[in-house]
């Protein structure tokens, strides 16, 4: 049984920082594409950042490049999203998703239908 549990959301002022965590249970961390998605009220869900658990690949949305950093800790089966220089436009529910695949391609990392497992989400509010 696979579970993804997000944590670390909260309220912060513009310019501040937050670090989100996504803890994965099960064996998925051996070889998976892990992506953070976000969905703001009234907007479609979008891919924010992605990392491959069995290699160095990372991907970022243009809107967060240079401000957000995705990382992993394989010993803890956890993916992190460090968010710096936060803006009000970053306000959204943030979801962690996992795709058990042998790669994390530049065209797939943000395709929702590619992911088999989703967390419940954690709210980020920037004012």
């Amino acid at each position: 049984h696979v579970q993804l549990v997000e944590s670390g959301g909260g309220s912060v002022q513009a310019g501040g920082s937050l670090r989100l965590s996504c803890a994965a249970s099960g064996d998925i961390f051996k070889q998976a594409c892990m992506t953070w998605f976000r969905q703001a009220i009234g907007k479609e869900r979008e891919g924010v950042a992605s990392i491959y658990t069995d290699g160095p690949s990372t991907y970022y949305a243009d809107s967060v490049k240079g401000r957000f950093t995705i990382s992993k800790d394989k010993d803890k089966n956890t993916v992190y999203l460090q968010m710096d220089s936060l803006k009000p436009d970053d306000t959204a529910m943030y979801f962690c998703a996992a795709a058990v695949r042998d790669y994390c391609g530049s065209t797939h990392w943000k395709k929702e239908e590619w992911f088999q497992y989703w967390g419940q989400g954690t709210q980020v509010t920037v004012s």
Side-chain angles (χ1 to χ4, degrees):
H1 178 63
V2 174
Q3 269 193 314
L4 301 176
V5 180
E6 303 101 330
S7 61
S11 296
V12 66
Q13 290 189 335
S17 298
L18 284 173
R19 188 176 82 154
L20 306 184
S21 299
C22 172
S25 64
D27 289 334
I28 63 170
F29 221 78
K30 290 180 182 177
Q31 216 173 31
C33 184
M34 306 288 293
T35 292
W36 284 98
F37 288 85
R38 68 184 180 186
Q39 187 167 22
I41 294 174
K43 295 187 177 181
E44 293 186 354
R45 190 152 53 183
E46 62 173 349
V48 175
S50 185
I51 192 166
Y52 186 54
T53 62
D54 198 30
S57 301
T58 57
Y59 303 93
Y60 294 92
D62 288 343
S63 59
V64 306
K65 279 180 183 176
R67 301 188 298 121
F68 290 11
T69 304
I70 192 168
S71 62
K72 63 191 176 190
D73 185 332
K74 295 193 75 172
D75 291 336
K76 295 182 179 180
N77 285 4
T78 300
V79 171
Y80 303 97
L81 185 67
Q82 177 66 40
M83 305 187 295
D84 299 317
S85 302
L86 282 162
K87 305 175 182 179
D89 283 350
D90 295 318
T91 295
M93 183 72 79
Y94 283 70
F95 299 90
C96 176
V100 181
R101 313 280 186 181
D102 58 4
Y103 71 101
C104 195
S106 59
T107 58
H108 290 88
W109 71 270
K110 53 186 176 180
K111 284 191 173 182
E112 293 182 49
E113 61 271 23
W114 207 55
F115 291 82
Q116 302 105 330
Y117 306 103
W118 292 81
Q120 294 296 312
T122 185
Q123 178 68 36
V124 171
T125 303
V126 185
S127 59

